[in-house]
Amino acid sequence: MSSTFAVTVQPAQHMRGRVRPPGDKSISHRYAMLAAIADGPSVIHGYSTGADCASTLNCLRALGVPIEQVNRARETGIQLAILGLQVGGLQPPSSTLDAGNSGSTMRMLSGILAAHPFRATFTGDSSLRRRPMGRIIVPLERMGARIASDEGRPPLTIVGTDRLKAIDFQPDVPSAQVKSCVLFAGLHAEGMTRVVEPISTRDHTERALEAFGVQVGRAGTSVAVRGGQRLIGGTFHVPGDISSAAFWMVAAAALPGSDVTIEHVGLNPSRIGIIGILERMGARIKTVIAHAQAGEPIGTIHVRHADLQPAEIMPEEVPGVIDELPVLAALATHGGELSVSGAQELRVKESDRISALADGLRLMGGEIDEQTDGFHVRGRNRLRGGEVDAKNDHRLAMAFAIAALGATGPTVIHDAGAAGVSYPEFFTVLESLRA
């Protein structure tokens, strides 16, 4: 689906219904990559239908990994069969690897490529080629790989080695992708590789490694793996993506009379910060954990509207809700108020999300102050609608749509197809919840 088409979103009275979000994007990437270097076959149920996760599969196939798509369904996602090549078993690619729009693919898979003694060039779309990669280049070169880049940006040419050295690494900026990159390289290194974060980030990598049989050391904000461990293939179930579910949680919180239930969604403690923030902003939320798969809790979220309250998101909260900040800003336009600081990472996502978010909401009639590391939204006046540009950014396309539900008139969202990066079914589900 092209991202260049436009979608018109009409105002809504309320949102009601039940929905199952697509498979978690973060977990899907990790399961596929680890299955690729595991010993034996793996079956992954509920793999994300988004384009980013398809980019990971395309890159793995180009590296010699046998991957078969067994089934695909809107409700349950994709079922994959992957035959692992064992640690160090990837094959040299015959052409440039294309990560598309997926920073997750490029950053995490680079950690695995760094441990293979061949040359591989990684590129992506125009958006990804603007994103900084120095944060993975520095630790991987310390471990022994050689990486050429365009002043720290893609394309990256990685010359790996089968003799990586273990390191202790302290990233300057909290990033689960950077942590994962270094740990994935550490699986192939001699000795113990340790990452000590300034603030703990989502722990899907640690849980996934343990599900594949790897021993992981955890202490505070420190995570460590010893190289040379064998990964064991198996059967894995990907829960629904809470970052995708966040759009329906916010829609329900925003509009009077709304009542939405989200089923089969991941409730990992490092990802549910949005629930607490929505409750602070006034939403009525009930969560029920039904079971766990591979260490990932899965359950149901039930959200109902209540009067919105002013809220502030502090820097220490930001890593846990970094993907949900645009839609939380959209919620504030429905009569609330939200201040966010410590979120400068938003400026180096698929777009400069702070600037593009502010531009879009203002065009819709919103009141938003842009800051270096965040924003302040006041919902004192109802949005009027208008024309906005999602800047080829999936989270912005969907956030503008949720803001548009509360406007007095229609909103045209350009580049709306960018939603397909993580949630191809988004606009179809949006219409179904109006009924």
Side-chain angles (χ1 to χ4, degrees), residues 2 45 59 78 80 89 93 195 205 261 279 282 288 362-363:
S2 169
H45 296 273
C59 290
I78 296 170
L80 297 174
V195 179
T205 290
T261 299
E279 288 175 329
V288 177
R362 288 191 194 109
L363 286 170

mmCIF file with all atom_site columns, all heavy atoms in Angstrom, residues 2 45 59 78 80 89 93 195 205 261 279 282 288 362-363:
data_model
loop_
_atom_site.group_PDB
_atom_site.id
_atom_site.type_symbol
_atom_site.label_atom_id
_atom_site.label_alt_id
_atom_site.label_comp_id
_atom_site.label_asym_id
_atom_site.label_entity_id
_atom_site.label_seq_id
_atom_site.pdbx_PDB_ins_code
_atom_site.Cartn_x
_atom_site.Cartn_y
_atom_site.Cartn_z
_atom_site.occupancy
_atom_site.B_iso_or_equiv
_atom_site.pdbx_formal_charge
_atom_site.auth_seq_id
_atom_site.auth_comp_id
_atom_site.auth_asym_id
_atom_site.auth_atom_id
_atom_site.pdbx_PDB_model_num
ATOM 1   N N   . SER A 1 2   ? 0.619   2.144   -0.920 1.00 0.00 ? 2   SER A N   1
ATOM 2   C CA  . SER A 1 2   ? 1.373   3.391   -0.963 1.00 0.00 ? 2   SER A CA  1
ATOM 3   C C   . SER A 1 2   ? 1.026   4.260   0.234  1.00 0.00 ? 2   SER A C   1
ATOM 4   O O   . SER A 1 2   ? -0.118  4.319   0.672  1.00 0.00 ? 2   SER A O   1
ATOM 5   C CB  . SER A 1 2   ? 1.046   4.137   -2.254 1.00 0.00 ? 2   SER A CB  1
ATOM 6   O OG  . SER A 1 2   ? 1.561   5.447   -2.211 1.00 0.00 ? 2   SER A OG  1
ATOM 7   N N   . HIS A 1 45  ? 3.392   -17.634 15.815 1.00 0.00 ? 45  HIS A N   1
ATOM 8   C CA  . HIS A 1 45  ? 1.988   -17.327 15.592 1.00 0.00 ? 45  HIS A CA  1
ATOM 9   C C   . HIS A 1 45  ? 1.731   -15.852 15.919 1.00 0.00 ? 45  HIS A C   1
ATOM 10  O O   . HIS A 1 45  ? 2.264   -15.325 16.883 1.00 0.00 ? 45  HIS A O   1
ATOM 11  C CB  . HIS A 1 45  ? 1.102   -18.187 16.489 1.00 0.00 ? 45  HIS A CB  1
ATOM 12  C CG  . HIS A 1 45  ? 1.186   -19.657 16.216 1.00 0.00 ? 45  HIS A CG  1
ATOM 13  N ND1 . HIS A 1 45  ? 0.401   -20.290 15.277 1.00 0.00 ? 45  HIS A ND1 1
ATOM 14  C CD2 . HIS A 1 45  ? 1.975   -20.625 16.755 1.00 0.00 ? 45  HIS A CD2 1
ATOM 15  C CE1 . HIS A 1 45  ? 0.692   -21.572 15.254 1.00 0.00 ? 45  HIS A CE1 1
ATOM 16  N NE2 . HIS A 1 45  ? 1.639   -21.810 16.137 1.00 0.00 ? 45  HIS A NE2 1
ATOM 17  N N   . CYS A 1 59  ? 14.948  -9.123  4.908  1.00 0.00 ? 59  CYS A N   1
ATOM 18  C CA  . CYS A 1 59  ? 16.397  -9.087  5.151  1.00 0.00 ? 59  CYS A CA  1
ATOM 19  C C   . CYS A 1 59  ? 16.913  -10.453 5.591  1.00 0.00 ? 59  CYS A C   1
ATOM 20  O O   . CYS A 1 59  ? 17.987  -10.900 5.155  1.00 0.00 ? 59  CYS A O   1
ATOM 21  C CB  . CYS A 1 59  ? 16.727  -8.028  6.200  1.00 0.00 ? 59  CYS A CB  1
ATOM 22  S SG  . CYS A 1 59  ? 16.504  -6.330  5.624  1.00 0.00 ? 59  CYS A SG  1
ATOM 23  N N   . ILE A 1 78  ? -0.049  -13.267 11.204 1.00 0.00 ? 78  ILE A N   1
ATOM 24  C CA  . ILE A 1 78  ? 0.689   -14.145 10.303 1.00 0.00 ? 78  ILE A CA  1
ATOM 25  C C   . ILE A 1 78  ? 1.287   -15.309 11.087 1.00 0.00 ? 78  ILE A C   1
ATOM 26  O O   . ILE A 1 78  ? 1.800   -15.120 12.194 1.00 0.00 ? 78  ILE A O   1
ATOM 27  C CB  . ILE A 1 78  ? 1.801   -13.357 9.584  1.00 0.00 ? 78  ILE A CB  1
ATOM 28  C CG1 . ILE A 1 78  ? 1.190   -12.272 8.688  1.00 0.00 ? 78  ILE A CG1 1
ATOM 29  C CG2 . ILE A 1 78  ? 2.703   -14.277 8.768  1.00 0.00 ? 78  ILE A CG2 1
ATOM 30  C CD1 . ILE A 1 78  ? 2.201   -11.294 8.118  1.00 0.00 ? 78  ILE A CD1 1
ATOM 31  N N   . LEU A 1 80  ? 4.319   -18.036 10.843 1.00 0.00 ? 80  LEU A N   1
ATOM 32  C CA  . LEU A 1 80  ? 5.574   -18.261 10.132 1.00 0.00 ? 80  LEU A CA  1
ATOM 33  C C   . LEU A 1 80  ? 6.239   -19.559 10.583 1.00 0.00 ? 80  LEU A C   1
ATOM 34  O O   . LEU A 1 80  ? 6.132   -19.949 11.750 1.00 0.00 ? 80  LEU A O   1
ATOM 35  C CB  . LEU A 1 80  ? 6.565   -17.125 10.415 1.00 0.00 ? 80  LEU A CB  1
ATOM 36  C CG  . LEU A 1 80  ? 6.225   -15.713 9.977  1.00 0.00 ? 80  LEU A CG  1
ATOM 37  C CD1 . LEU A 1 80  ? 7.286   -14.750 10.493 1.00 0.00 ? 80  LEU A CD1 1
ATOM 38  C CD2 . LEU A 1 80  ? 6.120   -15.626 8.455  1.00 0.00 ? 80  LEU A CD2 1
ATOM 39  N N   . GLY A 1 89  ? 25.513  -18.468 11.680 1.00 0.00 ? 89  GLY A N   1
ATOM 40  C CA  . GLY A 1 89  ? 25.230  -19.223 10.475 1.00 0.00 ? 89  GLY A CA  1
ATOM 41  C C   . GLY A 1 89  ? 24.627  -18.461 9.309  1.00 0.00 ? 89  GLY A C   1
ATOM 42  O O   . GLY A 1 89  ? 24.326  -19.070 8.279  1.00 0.00 ? 89  GLY A O   1
ATOM 43  N N   . PRO A 1 93  ? 24.840  -11.789 1.883  1.00 0.00 ? 93  PRO A N   1
ATOM 44  C CA  . PRO A 1 93  ? 23.751  -11.406 0.968  1.00 0.00 ? 93  PRO A CA  1
ATOM 45  C C   . PRO A 1 93  ? 24.301  -11.134 -0.421 1.00 0.00 ? 93  PRO A C   1
ATOM 46  O O   . PRO A 1 93  ? 25.440  -10.673 -0.585 1.00 0.00 ? 93  PRO A O   1
ATOM 47  C CB  . PRO A 1 93  ? 23.192  -10.135 1.600  1.00 0.00 ? 93  PRO A CB  1
ATOM 48  C CG  . PRO A 1 93  ? 24.360  -9.541  2.334  1.00 0.00 ? 93  PRO A CG  1
ATOM 49  C CD  . PRO A 1 93  ? 25.182  -10.699 2.822  1.00 0.00 ? 93  PRO A CD  1
ATOM 50  N N   . VAL A 1 195 ? 25.051  -4.310  29.098 1.00 0.00 ? 195 VAL A N   1
ATOM 51  C CA  . VAL A 1 195 ? 24.526  -2.985  28.771 1.00 0.00 ? 195 VAL A CA  1
ATOM 52  C C   . VAL A 1 195 ? 23.925  -2.398  30.039 1.00 0.00 ? 195 VAL A C   1
ATOM 53  O O   . VAL A 1 195 ? 23.087  -3.034  30.686 1.00 0.00 ? 195 VAL A O   1
ATOM 54  C CB  . VAL A 1 195 ? 23.452  -3.051  27.666 1.00 0.00 ? 195 VAL A CB  1
ATOM 55  C CG1 . VAL A 1 195 ? 22.902  -1.654  27.375 1.00 0.00 ? 195 VAL A CG1 1
ATOM 56  C CG2 . VAL A 1 195 ? 24.020  -3.678  26.398 1.00 0.00 ? 195 VAL A CG2 1
ATOM 57  N N   . THR A 1 205 ? 13.495  -7.955  24.611 1.00 0.00 ? 205 THR A N   1
ATOM 58  C CA  . THR A 1 205 ? 14.669  -8.725  24.206 1.00 0.00 ? 205 THR A CA  1
ATOM 59  C C   . THR A 1 205 ? 15.088  -9.703  25.286 1.00 0.00 ? 205 THR A C   1
ATOM 60  O O   . THR A 1 205 ? 15.371  -10.877 25.011 1.00 0.00 ? 205 THR A O   1
ATOM 61  C CB  . THR A 1 205 ? 15.830  -7.778  23.850 1.00 0.00 ? 205 THR A CB  1
ATOM 62  O OG1 . THR A 1 205 ? 15.511  -7.098  22.624 1.00 0.00 ? 205 THR A OG1 1
ATOM 63  C CG2 . THR A 1 205 ? 17.139  -8.529  23.672 1.00 0.00 ? 205 THR A CG2 1
ATOM 64  N N   . THR A 1 261 ? -13.259 -2.430  24.193 1.00 0.00 ? 261 THR A N   1
ATOM 65  C CA  . THR A 1 261 ? -12.520 -3.546  24.791 1.00 0.00 ? 261 THR A CA  1
ATOM 66  C C   . THR A 1 261 ? -11.475 -4.027  23.796 1.00 0.00 ? 261 THR A C   1
ATOM 67  O O   . THR A 1 261 ? -11.790 -4.301  22.632 1.00 0.00 ? 261 THR A O   1
ATOM 68  C CB  . THR A 1 261 ? -13.467 -4.701  25.157 1.00 0.00 ? 261 THR A CB  1
ATOM 69  O OG1 . THR A 1 261 ? -14.421 -4.232  26.111 1.00 0.00 ? 261 THR A OG1 1
ATOM 70  C CG2 . THR A 1 261 ? -12.690 -5.860  25.758 1.00 0.00 ? 261 THR A CG2 1
ATOM 71  N N   . GLU A 1 279 ? -5.119  6.951   32.912 1.00 0.00 ? 279 GLU A N   1
ATOM 72  C CA  . GLU A 1 279 ? -5.911  7.059   34.144 1.00 0.00 ? 279 GLU A CA  1
ATOM 73  C C   . GLU A 1 279 ? -5.715  8.425   34.796 1.00 0.00 ? 279 GLU A C   1
ATOM 74  O O   . GLU A 1 279 ? -6.672  9.035   35.299 1.00 0.00 ? 279 GLU A O   1
ATOM 75  C CB  . GLU A 1 279 ? -5.542  5.926   35.100 1.00 0.00 ? 279 GLU A CB  1
ATOM 76  C CG  . GLU A 1 279 ? -6.062  4.571   34.634 1.00 0.00 ? 279 GLU A CG  1
ATOM 77  C CD  . GLU A 1 279 ? -5.610  3.426   35.510 1.00 0.00 ? 279 GLU A CD  1
ATOM 78  O OE1 . GLU A 1 279 ? -4.498  3.507   36.097 1.00 0.00 ? 279 GLU A OE1 1
ATOM 79  O OE2 . GLU A 1 279 ? -6.354  2.427   35.611 1.00 0.00 ? 279 GLU A OE2 1
ATOM 80  N N   . GLY A 1 282 ? -7.849  10.882  33.209 1.00 0.00 ? 282 GLY A N   1
ATOM 81  C CA  . GLY A 1 282 ? -9.275  10.765  33.471 1.00 0.00 ? 282 GLY A CA  1
ATOM 82  C C   . GLY A 1 282 ? -9.956  9.517   32.962 1.00 0.00 ? 282 GLY A C   1
ATOM 83  O O   . GLY A 1 282 ? -11.119 9.267   33.298 1.00 0.00 ? 282 GLY A O   1
ATOM 84  N N   . VAL A 1 288 ? -7.144  -7.043  32.594 1.00 0.00 ? 288 VAL A N   1
ATOM 85  C CA  . VAL A 1 288 ? -7.171  -8.411  33.111 1.00 0.00 ? 288 VAL A CA  1
ATOM 86  C C   . VAL A 1 288 ? -6.107  -9.221  32.375 1.00 0.00 ? 288 VAL A C   1
ATOM 87  O O   . VAL A 1 288 ? -6.138  -9.312  31.141 1.00 0.00 ? 288 VAL A O   1
ATOM 88  C CB  . VAL A 1 288 ? -8.552  -9.063  32.908 1.00 0.00 ? 288 VAL A CB  1
ATOM 89  C CG1 . VAL A 1 288 ? -8.523  -10.511 33.387 1.00 0.00 ? 288 VAL A CG1 1
ATOM 90  C CG2 . VAL A 1 288 ? -9.635  -8.283  33.636 1.00 0.00 ? 288 VAL A CG2 1
ATOM 91  N N   . ARG A 1 362 ? -1.812  22.195  14.879 1.00 0.00 ? 362 ARG A N   1
ATOM 92  C CA  . ARG A 1 362 ? -2.132  23.613  14.666 1.00 0.00 ? 362 ARG A CA  1
ATOM 93  C C   . ARG A 1 362 ? -2.999  23.795  13.429 1.00 0.00 ? 362 ARG A C   1
ATOM 94  O O   . ARG A 1 362 ? -3.937  24.607  13.420 1.00 0.00 ? 362 ARG A O   1
ATOM 95  C CB  . ARG A 1 362 ? -0.852  24.438  14.538 1.00 0.00 ? 362 ARG A CB  1
ATOM 96  C CG  . ARG A 1 362 ? -0.099  24.625  15.842 1.00 0.00 ? 362 ARG A CG  1
ATOM 97  C CD  . ARG A 1 362 ? 0.995   25.673  15.691 1.00 0.00 ? 362 ARG A CD  1
ATOM 98  N NE  . ARG A 1 362 ? 1.916   25.617  16.819 1.00 0.00 ? 362 ARG A NE  1
ATOM 99  C CZ  . ARG A 1 362 ? 3.169   25.162  16.745 1.00 0.00 ? 362 ARG A CZ  1
ATOM 100 N NH1 . ARG A 1 362 ? 3.659   24.725  15.593 1.00 0.00 ? 362 ARG A NH1 1
ATOM 101 N NH2 . ARG A 1 362 ? 3.943   25.149  17.819 1.00 0.00 ? 362 ARG A NH2 1
ATOM 102 N N   . LEU A 1 363 ? -2.706  23.054  12.354 1.00 0.00 ? 363 LEU A N   1
ATOM 103 C CA  . LEU A 1 363 ? -3.505  23.154  11.136 1.00 0.00 ? 363 LEU A CA  1
ATOM 104 C C   . LEU A 1 363 ? -4.950  22.706  11.374 1.00 0.00 ? 363 LEU A C   1
ATOM 105 O O   . LEU A 1 363 ? -5.863  23.127  10.663 1.00 0.00 ? 363 LEU A O   1
ATOM 106 C CB  . LEU A 1 363 ? -2.881  22.316  10.022 1.00 0.00 ? 363 LEU A CB  1
ATOM 107 C CG  . LEU A 1 363 ? -1.605  22.889  9.393  1.00 0.00 ? 363 LEU A CG  1
ATOM 108 C CD1 . LEU A 1 363 ? -0.946  21.865  8.490  1.00 0.00 ? 363 LEU A CD1 1
ATOM 109 C CD2 . LEU A 1 363 ? -1.927  24.166  8.602  1.00 0.00 ? 363 LEU A CD2 1
#
